[in-house]
Amino acid sequence: MQGERFEFDDADQALACVQRLFDRSRGHLHEAFEAFVRGIEPGKRVRAHYPAVSVQVSRTARPDSRLPFGFVAGPGRYSTTLTRPDLFANYLREQFALLLRNHGEPLCVSESDEPMPLHFALLPGEQIEGRLERDRATRLREFFDAPDLAAMDDGIANGAWEGLPGAPMPLALFTASRVDYSLHRLRHYCGSRPEHFQNYVLFTNYPFYIDEFVRLGHDLMQGNAGAEFAFEEAGRYTAFVEPGERVTPAGGAPSAAPAPAHLPQMPAYHLTRADNNGITLVNIGVGPSNAKTATDHIAVLRPHAWLMVGHCAGLRNTQALGDFVLAHAYLREDKVLDDDLPVWVPIPPLAEVQVALEQAVAEVTKLEGYELKRIMRTGTVASVDNRNWELRDQSGPVQRLSQSRAI
């Protein structure tokens, strides 16, 4: 019930309380909706709320600077609403533990004032459409909350959030309803339940990458790792998941589920591990707009890293077909981020990812040092919104791209 507040100095106990409050709210909406489907109208509006976690910080702590998360910037009250604690259990447990360790203040778990929309409270596989006659479906909003897009913007993540005087500062980049919105979008665009997405995400726009990933996934499940996975990590993958919920477990028979008649817009494939540190590959199709659509929604899952794997049009005669180009700068002329991020803001790659990729290329090619530079180059990669820029007057785009020092 609203007004209940519970304080914890243990991450597991705080997570268990969040789960209990979430289950109670979701169960309340689910029970009322099932009654509505049977023709029983509630006597009053049915409303449930997301759980929230907050922390009151009295002094600035000096956190472990090796991690860019798990602490707040300064004194004050911080709060966020939460959803799907079952899906985010490992993430929340780690964040809770770091907050407790870095600040020494208890975590307060309570029921928030953010309504939980009925559409986001339904269990996986449940739908509103098709279960109600049209006239009754139009009356749902009389009794249940619907998703409110006005409350789901990316102001926090984009650094544009402005709170009311006295309001707590955000404790997370995304609110509960914003997360739920993206979880539903992932099922729509990628044809996968969010549970399958892994912490390491690859994007591509060429089908042969998908074909190779599918081959590798099935080989790993059958114990035929091959030379490319001749290390202990290969045995830690638990399943290979394809669109249509076709799950092939490690050591088991391939999924008997039929392939979907039509693939989703951006089909996702998952090589899963029990700790979620597996690999997800998403075929985003052509264009930066699709890439932004996918990342906007996968971002709520808080993955460790994502990479775009694809082909580049080389601008320099030093490049040859088959060379590896590792982007260390990004020239943005695709405009997809202009409304969220000013064009003068640089978007640097993570140094750890750069080093890992160089080491991987060296491991696969058996080249090192000066010889490795024969096939692997780093440089600026330009992204443009006109995918047929070659058809423009060459003195324009080619000269501009050349001046950018793009490789």
Side-chain angles (χ1 to χ4, degrees), residues 205-388:
N205 55 1
Y206 284 91
F208 68 82
Y209 287 116
I210 300 293
D211 295 342
E212 187 66 11
F213 191 68
V214 170
R215 181 198 65 78
L216 177 62
H218 284 292
D219 283 351
L220 284 170
M221 294 307 98
Q222 296 166 13
N224 303 323
E228 65 261 58
F229 264 87
F231 51 88
E232 63 176 15
E233 291 293 312
R236 298 183 183 180
Y237 294 102
T238 57
F240 184 65
V241 184
E242 301 170 72
E245 297 299 314
R246 303 172 68 204
V247 180
T248 300
S255 173
H262 303 283
L263 285 175
Q265 290 164 285
M266 290 182 277
Y269 302 78
H270 315 276
L271 193 53
T272 67
R273 285 182 23 164
D275 58 4
N276 267 68
N277 284 333
I279 305 168
T280 287
L281 178 63
V282 182
N283 186 355
I284 61 170
V286 176
S289 181
N290 281 1
K292 183 180 186 301
T293 299
T295 54
D296 277 348
H297 300 309
I298 294 177
V300 306
L301 298 173
R302 314 310 298 140
H304 295 339
W306 54 37
L307 299 171
M308 177 68 195
V309 182
H311 285 164
C312 287
L315 291 172
R316 309 295 172 189
N317 290 333
T318 55
Q319 298 299 114
L321 288 176
D323 285 356
F324 293 92
V325 177
L326 180 57
H328 68 194
Y330 170 33
L331 175 64
R332 296 195 275 138
E333 288 197 356
D334 49 39
K335 301 181 177 63
V336 296
L337 292 178
D338 289 3
D339 291 336
D340 299 320
L341 203 63
V343 292
W344 51 264
V345 176
I347 305 179
L350 291 175
E352 294 88 346
V353 174
Q354 298 278 89
V355 172
L357 284 172
E358 183 175 355
Q359 292 174 342
V361 173
E363 180 179 337
V364 171
T365 63
K366 309 305 179 186
L367 300 174
E368 59 183 22
Y370 187 68
E371 289 302 313
L372 184 62
K373 291 181 69 66
R374 289 182 181 274
I375 64 165
M376 184 175 186
R377 300 292 298 273
T378 58
T380 298
V381 171
S383 180
V384 296
D385 53 0
N386 179 5
R387 310 309 290 178
N388 294 309

